[in-house]
Amino acid sequence: MAPGSLPDLAVTGSTGHLGGLVARILADAGQPQRLLVRDAARAPDLPGAVPVVSTYADPELAGASLAGVKTLLMVSAAEAEDRLRTHYAFVDAAAEAGVEHIVYTSFFGASANCTFTLGRDHYATEERIKASGMNYTFLRDNLYLDILPLLVGEDGVIRGPAGDGVMAAVTRGDIGRCAAAVLAAPEMHVGRTYNLTGPEDLSLQRAAELLTEGTGRTISYHPETVEEAYASRASYGAPAWQLDAWVSTYTAIANGELAGPTSDVRVLTGREPQGLADFLKEAHHL
């Protein structure tokens, strides 16, 4: 297909959880889209969706894949040491290709000096997008509620230096519905930043109680010190930046930077966001 005959809405990340969910919602709504993927064979097979090979790190390929795109969903790249460089390359390529509006999945409380180290990369990406001249909408996602069960160790203990801090964790499903709503009418959301949260503030102690009720396992929370957190994760052999990211997820909670439910999910989707108890009930029935 020539660029002129391709859909002018492009979605990245469709081979992953969040981008794949957004792509399915759009396809179900009859919205044509081009799926920007590294490997066309891995793209989901959806009605009205055309896979186009692209990558964040290759400006030439990215630029070609974005020709004729008006609205772009940019799902943040997988965590990597050079993620910010590849984000910059892709944002620049999008602006160069004439993309009119970019919708970027950012992080709740992103700032130049936020506690969560990777939140700083999200802030820097937002600033690059603002400077590009493109219209933008930022979806600042709180911690994924979906990963809370994955924080539980084999011994049934959640360990981390979160103290008694709380977070307004949000499901990927709610984020996906918000993104699809923005992409359906991007002109309504120009220059807006949405803080996407679940319905309640949760401590890890409360999360452990709800996980116990929802899974039938006995789950508890052990608040580590920062030193203990680094020591307990050192055995994974991860690079320093990755260890910093893991530990600072918890210290950001301890510092109150992920607290504060908002109404933005309801504003965008017309429905209340899902909490942990309901999420676990639904997951149990699947």
Side-chain angles (χ1 to χ4, degrees):
M1 271 193 181
S5 60
L6 288 168
D8 62 11
L9 168 63
V11 170
T12 67
S14 64
T15 57
H17 287 292
L18 181 60
L21 177 61
V22 176
R24 285 195 299 279
I25 295 170
L26 294 171
D28 288 346
Q31 173 73 57
Q33 57 187 314
R34 66 176 94 171
L35 304 177
L36 304 187
V37 288
R38 284 194 295 267
D39 178 1
R42 288 188 59 223
D45 184 11
L46 298 168
V50 184
V52 177
V53 175
S54 185
T55 177
Y56 285 5
D58 181 340
E60 206 167 304
L61 183 60
S65 71
L66 290 163
V69 168
K70 287 183 179 171
T71 307
L72 167 66
L73 174 66
M74 179 181 174
V75 176
S76 55
E79 296 179 359
E81 193 162 20
D82 65 344
R83 174 163 75 164
L84 191 54
R85 182 181 60 78
T86 60
H87 275 188
Y88 280 179
F90 190 66
V91 169
D92 295 352
E96 183 78 18
V99 172
E100 294 173 13
H101 189 143
I102 185 165
V103 179
Y104 174 65
T105 61
S106 186
F107 191 74
F108 189 87
S111 72
N113 55 2
C114 59
T115 299
F116 179 48
T117 52
L118 300 183
R120 302 168 199 171
D121 289 354
H122 284 293
Y123 175 75
T125 302
E126 288 183 359
E127 292 300 300
R128 188 76 159 209
I129 291 169
K130 284 180 179 177
S132 72
M134 290 182 283
N135 287 332
Y136 63 84
T137 307
F138 299 143
L139 304 177
R140 288 186 162 189
D141 311 334
N142 206 287
L143 199 70
Y144 287 164
L145 196 69
D146 314 46
I147 69 165
L148 293 181
L150 307 179
L151 299 180
V152 182
E154 286 181 17
D155 58 357
V157 181
I158 300 173
R159 289 183 173 80
D164 55 6
V166 295
M167 62 194 156
V170 61
T171 65
R172 281 198 190 99
D174 281 324
I175 297 166
R177 284 183 283 275
C178 287
V182 170
L183 295 170
E187 68 283 354
M188 306 277 291
H189 307 283
V190 173
R192 298 294 301 274
T193 296
Y194 295 103
N195 295 300
L196 304 184
T197 72
E200 62 198 337
D201 272 332
L202 282 176
S203 65
L204 286 180
Q205 175 63 42
R206 180 62 182 145
E209 292 165 5
L210 289 169
L211 285 163
T212 297
E213 291 168 18
T215 65
R217 293 176 66 196
T218 302
I219 292 164
S220 61
Y221 165 53
H222 171 70
E224 292 178 306
T225 65
V226 171
E227 292 73 25
E228 285 172 341
Y230 274 100
S232 65
R233 287 156 182 79
S235 61
Y236 294 108
W241 70 266
Q242 183 79 69
L243 286 174
D244 290 341
W246 287 342
V247 173
S248 65
T249 307
Y250 294 95
T251 51
I253 297 170
N255 292 343
E257 293 176 29
L258 299 186
T262 73
S263 59
D264 285 357
V265 169
R266 181 171 48 76
V267 166
L268 287 171
T269 67
R271 55 191 265 185
E272 292 296 332
Q274 193 173 43
L276 181 56
D278 286 339
F279 172 78
L280 291 171
K281 268 188 208 139
E282 192 177 279
H284 192 64
H285 291 307
L286 291 179

